[in-house]
Amino acid sequence: LNRSAHTQQASIQPEPPIRPTYHRVLFGASIRVRPELRASLQALPYVASVHEDVAYQAMWTASATHIKAPQVWAQYGTRGAGIKVAVIDSGVDYHHPALGGGIGAGFKVLGGWDFVDDDADPIDTFGHGTHVAGIIAGNAGDVIGVAPEASLYAYRSLDGNGRGSASSVIAAIERSVDPDENDNPSDHVDVVNLSLGGPPQENDPGVAAVESAAAFGIVMSTAAGNGRDYPNISTPGISPSRITVGASDLTDALAAFSSRGPSMFFAIKPEVIAPGVNIYSSTLHNENAFLSGTSMATPHVAGLAALMKAVHSDWSPSDIKNAIVTTTKPFDIDVMTIGSGRVDALSAVQTDALIAPSTVSFGAVDATIPVWNASSSVTLRNRSTQQRTFTSTVRGLRAGVTVTVTPPSVTLEAGATATVQIDLSVTNAQVPAPEDGSLSYGGRIEWTGGAVPVHVPWAFTKGSILAVDVVDAVAQGRIEVLGGKK
């Protein structure tokens, strides 16, 4: 609006009320009119241009909305209330308003422990754990997490520089199993987030701890690492049965820093990717910040697991993992970079078909055999209340590679299960060693017929791998955060 226009009579009747006016950063005014009057407004001699008052949203919604968490809140009537998530990290600044403003009964942060200084105050002095906690369950201002009504336990295992030891992390995992240390694990947390990692070891104790925690009913979300290369999955992300998370941006492109697989066991890792680039969340001193890393991707999955536990209270950790992994948004790119794809909260909650295991890793090809064969199997379970027929399709085949699903279609009554065999055949003369660093080929097997399509990634490795172990007495056993400032 031309400022002199205020003295002129508007030709739109009744004259719409002028709401805010601007004269510092913009010359204009805001008015509310019916859409069909826009042309009349534009025709007024003193109106330079008319712009729709489009909706803006706080920056937090970008990543939570991208994985469809708000749709779960709306359709299922839960934001994670009653679910307990342990943040094993650099502590949590529980004074932050988005994280409840205090610690103990009645606060969002129910409790915790400092395994660095061995005291009862897990206050964050680094900021990393506070950022992770906000992504999971922030619930004030412009920091709203994936499960904003979930409760938190803060276990400080990393110091003020973001470094710690495997022993302190394992101690925190153990405390997650029995937060009040009364030798009764009935009060165990529901989900643990591990946005940290270190170099894998043979018979890795961190992996053993993560695997054991599942037996108590805990879902574990672990970071793949920021190693930028193949194969470079951190521990405990190499854990076979836990959810290992890589990072993507909000266009679903893989983050350059995200570690690729396979794991040291030739398994598909990471299993999924989630937003981890320029993620807005809480940090120290009641402030917020944008950070990037697989550390930021992992709590998206932890928050999703909390939502799933709230909706499906009778599902086991394996059920929740399998639902998350098999309902992602898939992409036709290297399986060892993205696993099954980018997580989709709504599809994960909606699925009524569970597939176990949620990935099929055939291992390493014996190149001395002209035609190398391998077999695996998965179990399909119909969690719906009616009969379902699931039909399979194999993606990612190439010359010299066949994958056969037997039977290709199965009909299951409500609650029934069926085992499906998956056979791989590789004609070595037609299948050269891959040029990329994963040394792997793969694709996915899709099943339709349920509430939402489900799929499992499959892969095999072909190539020569030289493993060199370097023992550093200083660095051995060191655990570091897997995220930081961009």
Side-chain angles (χ1 to χ4, degrees):
L1 291 174
N2 186 304
R3 295 185 67 182
S4 64
H6 294 296
T7 62
Q8 301 185 36
Q9 179 68 34
S11 61
I12 296 178
Q13 298 297 332
E15 184 174 337
I18 294 179
R19 300 165 70 206
T21 60
Y22 319 102
H23 62 276
R24 293 185 180 89
V25 298
L26 183 74
F27 291 104
S30 171
I31 62 174
R32 184 186 296 274
V33 297
R34 297 188 307 275
E36 61 268 25
L37 294 178
R38 178 170 179 166
S40 298
L41 267 179
Q42 185 67 72
L44 294 174
Y46 50 84
V47 173
S49 60
V50 176
H51 304 275
E52 181 183 355
D53 194 3
V54 298
Y56 274 38
Q57 58 188 20
M59 293 302 298
W60 64 266
T61 59
S63 59
T65 298
H66 193 64
I67 67 168
K68 301 181 184 176
Q71 290 174 252
V72 174
W73 308 339
Q75 294 187 33
Y76 290 88
T78 182
R79 288 155 57 98
I83 305 303
K84 298 176 292 186
V85 183
V87 178
I88 299 178
D89 212 289
S90 62
V92 172
D93 182 359
Y94 44 79
H95 298 300
H96 197 292
L99 300 175
I103 187 171
F107 289 100
K108 173 176 286 293
V109 181
L110 295 175
W113 190 262
D114 184 342
F115 292 96
V116 177
D117 296 326
D118 195 26
D119 60 47
D121 186 4
I123 192 70
D124 189 1
T125 61
F126 182 57
H128 187 270
T130 301
H131 198 271
V132 166
I135 296 170
I136 296 170
N139 196 22
D142 56 356
V143 175
I144 307 295
V146 175
E149 293 181 6
S151 299
L152 298 173
Y153 279 89
Y155 294 128
R156 184 173 182 249
S157 298
L158 306 177
D159 62 20
N161 296 309
R163 297 185 177 183
S165 65
S167 58
S168 63
V169 172
I170 293 170
I173 295 172
E174 179 141 319
R175 186 67 65 89
S176 299
V177 171
D178 186 14
D180 62 6
E181 293 192 290
N182 68 348
D183 294 325
N184 182 354
S186 61
D187 62 338
H188 65 78
V189 304
D190 300 291
V191 182
V192 165
N193 188 89
L194 289 160
S195 288
L196 43 74
Q201 307 173 48
E202 188 175 354
N203 300 319
D204 197 294
V207 171
V210 167
E211 292 288 311
S212 297
F216 292 91
I218 300 174
V219 182
M220 311 289 291
S221 182
T222 57
N226 298 336
R228 299 174 177 264
D229 205 354
Y230 307 90
N232 204 2
I233 304 297
S234 298
T235 188
I238 60 171
S239 172
S241 61
R242 302 307 96 218
I243 311 174
T244 304
V245 188
S248 58
D249 64 20
L250 293 185
T251 69
D252 291 330
L254 185 75
F257 53 77
S258 189
S259 289
R260 283 82 160 162
S263 75
M264 61 189 299
F265 310 110
F266 299 107
I268 295 173
K269 289 286 182 178
E271 283 105 339
V272 298
I273 56 174
V277 178
N278 287 342
I279 304 301
Y280 187 72
S281 186
S282 46
T283 189
L284 302 182
H285 313 303
N286 295 344
E287 296 181 354
N288 308 318
F290 292 91
L291 298 181
S292 296
T294 54
S295 280
M296 284 66 248
T298 305
H300 284 85
V301 176
L304 169 53
L307 292 180
M308 294 195 65
K309 189 67 177 178
V311 175
H312 301 293
S313 59
D314 61 328
W315 284 23
S316 69
S318 293
D319 291 340
I320 291 173
K321 174 189 174 176
N322 293 338
I324 290 173
V325 175
T326 62
T327 57
T328 59
K329 179 180 179 181
F331 304 98
D332 293 323
I333 59 177
D334 181 19
V335 169
M336 294 299 180
T337 66
I338 65 165
S340 67
R342 192 259 300 148
V343 294
D344 182 317
L346 185 61
S347 293
V349 173
Q350 287 179 334
T351 188
D352 56 12
L354 292 179
I355 307 175
S358 52
T359 64
V360 176
S361 299
F362 290 104
V365 171
D366 184 345
T368 66
I369 300 174
V371 179
W372 183 78
N373 298 302
S375 295
S376 187
S377 64
V378 297
T379 300
L380 275 66
R381 189 190 329 172
N382 179 8
R383 291 298 300 248
S384 76
T385 57
Q386 57 190 320
Q387 184 186 82
R388 296 285 200 195
T389 297
F390 301 102
T391 302
S392 63
T393 303
V394 179
R395 308 287 186 190
L397 298 176
R398 53 163 291 141
V401 178
T402 62
V403 174
T404 305
V405 180
T406 308
S409 181
V410 293
T411 298
L412 297 176
E413 298 299 326
T417 63
T419 299
V420 174
Q421 183 167 323
I422 303 171
D423 295 308
L424 168 71
S425 181
V426 178
T427 302
N428 275 305
Q430 295 180 264
V431 184
E435 294 183 2
D436 66 47
S438 75
L439 301 176
S440 301
Y441 290 107
R444 64 184 182 275
I445 305 169
E446 301 172 347
W447 281 270
T448 56
V452 297
V454 291
H455 58 272
V456 298
W458 61 267
F460 63 90
T461 300
K462 183 175 183 181
S464 299
I465 299 177
L466 173 65
V468 178
D469 292 326
V470 178
V471 178
D472 182 333
V474 175
Q476 190 174 29
R478 186 179 64 198
I479 300 292
E480 299 184 5
V481 301
L482 298 176
K485 294 183 178 180
K486 180 178 174 59

